[in-house]
């Protein structure tokens, strides 16, 4: 275990609960002097007390140990506020609709921060009846590839897992999609607003000939 609950964390959580040292002690079956020792850094609670302490504060053991208590005020969980956690060891992808404390392979994960697409991560979106056909200009080697594609609506996500040496493309039901994201295993998470992208039917980008010309020009400009 790389971390352990600190006295500062116990004190902050106790005070947020408006609980005295004696009240906490009674819940845990210890003395108030013992709680005082924990909070002043003169001792640590026994490992068998971690779950009871977490229960007393209504947090998880992981939150207790990390010191990062999560207060999810948005219980309605807007999907457009989704967060994605990607394990650098195994590539595992965890999706959350709010704040979370996520560990994988012993690593405390942070949410990937999405950036707008750039010339090295070009995405082409085409409307085909009731679907978006999404294709990314990107190599798909064993060491450098697009890991997944996601289409976000206000009430749902559609995710497609991709693999090295496969094609970086997917189809999504339009269903009010507001944002499309994809993850490059080396460069991180990127996004595009499909309405502002080259998928707009009214702008004529659904014409296959014009699309091929645009892609050819893009390749000339950006290699």
């Amino acid at each position: 275990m790389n971390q352990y609950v600190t006295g500062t964390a116990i004190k902050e959580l106790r005070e947020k609960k408006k609980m005295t040292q004696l009240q906490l002690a009674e819940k845990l079956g210890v003395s108030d002097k013992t709680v005082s020792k924990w909070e002043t850094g003169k001792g640590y609670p026994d490992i068998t007390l971690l779950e009871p302490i977490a229960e007393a504060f209504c947090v998880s053991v992981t939150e207790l140990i990390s010191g990062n208590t999560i207060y999810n005020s948005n219980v309605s969980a807007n999907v457009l506020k989704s967060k994605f956690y990607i394990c650098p060891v195994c590539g595992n992808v965890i999706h959350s609709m709010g704040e979370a404390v996520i560990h994988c392979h012993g690593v405390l994960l942070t949410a990937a921060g999405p950036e707008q697409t750039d010339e090295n991560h070009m995405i082409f979106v085409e409307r085909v009846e009731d679907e978006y056909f999404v294709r990314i200009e990107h190599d798909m080697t064993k060491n450098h590839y697009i890991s997944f594609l996601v289409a976000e609506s206000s009430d749902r996500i559609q995710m497609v897992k991709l693999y090295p040496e496969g094609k970086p493309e997917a189809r999504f039901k339009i269903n009010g999609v507001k944002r499309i994201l994809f993850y490059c295993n080396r460069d991180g998470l990127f996004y595009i607003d499909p309405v502002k992208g080259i998928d707009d039917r009214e702008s004529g980008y659904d014409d296959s000939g014009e699309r091929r010309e645009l892609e050819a020009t893009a390749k000339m400009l950006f290699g």
Side-chain angles (χ1 to χ4, degrees):
M1 184 180 295
N2 297 323
Q3 292 178 297
Y4 203 75
V5 60
T6 65
T8 300
I10 292 174
K11 183 177 180 180
E12 288 180 353
L13 289 166
R14 177 179 62 78
E15 290 178 345
K16 283 179 180 177
K17 278 290 185 180
K18 300 184 187 298
M19 192 182 299
T20 66
Q21 289 183 342
L22 180 58
Q23 289 172 328
L24 176 59
E26 290 175 346
K27 283 180 175 289
L28 302 176
V30 299
S31 70
D32 56 340
K33 290 182 179 180
T34 298
V35 174
S36 178
K37 285 182 180 180
W38 298 341
E39 294 186 358
T40 55
K42 295 178 181 178
Y44 291 98
D46 185 81
I47 194 169
T48 60
L49 289 172
L50 292 185
E51 284 195 18
I53 292 172
E55 289 178 4
F57 296 142
C58 299
V59 298
S60 68
V61 173
T62 300
E63 292 172 87
L64 180 67
I65 292 174
S66 70
N68 297 320
T69 310
I70 304 304
Y71 297 95
N72 189 359
S73 58
N74 181 21
V75 294
S76 61
N78 187 333
V79 177
L80 293 175
K81 296 181 179 179
S82 289
K83 296 180 184 293
F84 295 89
Y85 300 80
I86 299 92
C87 178
V89 179
C90 69
N92 191 14
V93 181
I94 300 98
H95 167 246
S96 170
M97 290 188 293
E99 297 293 338
V101 177
I102 308 289
H103 285 79
C104 189
H105 281 79
V107 179
L108 176 60
L109 305 181
T110 56
E115 300 178 11
Q116 285 189 316
T117 55
D118 57 28
E119 63 272 15
N120 295 317
H121 299 85
M122 297 169 60
I123 182 170
F124 297 92
V125 185
E126 183 177 355
R127 296 178 66 170
V128 181
E129 296 182 351
D130 63 343
E131 293 182 323
Y132 280 135
F133 174 66
V134 181
R135 181 174 63 80
I136 301 168
E137 282 288 323
H138 197 285
D139 291 335
M140 292 289 282
T141 67
K142 290 183 178 180
N143 297 319
H144 193 186
Y145 57 92
I146 302 302
S147 175
F148 63 87
L149 270 158
V150 171
E152 287 184 341
S153 307
S154 60
D155 62 349
R156 72 194 67 188
I157 70 165
Q158 303 170 68
M159 176 181 283
V160 174
K161 184 73 176 75
L162 303 176
Y163 298 93
E165 302 180 348
K167 292 184 178 180
E169 59 187 38
R171 290 180 179 271
F172 299 109
K173 291 291 185 181
I174 291 178
N175 283 340
V177 169
K178 301 295 185 183
R179 189 166 70 160
I180 293 173
L181 303 98
F182 61 92
Y183 184 79
C184 170
N185 73 315
R186 287 191 178 180
D187 299 314
L189 192 63
F190 294 88
Y191 75 91
I192 189 172
D193 179 346
V195 175
K196 295 179 181 178
I198 64 171
D199 61 353
D200 191 345
R201 187 183 300 275
E202 293 181 0
S203 297
Y205 288 115
D206 284 332
D207 178 77
S208 58
E210 185 174 356
R211 176 172 295 280
R212 283 195 293 271
E213 292 179 8
L214 284 170
E215 294 178 6
T217 301
K219 286 183 178 179
M220 290 175 61
L221 289 173
F222 304 116

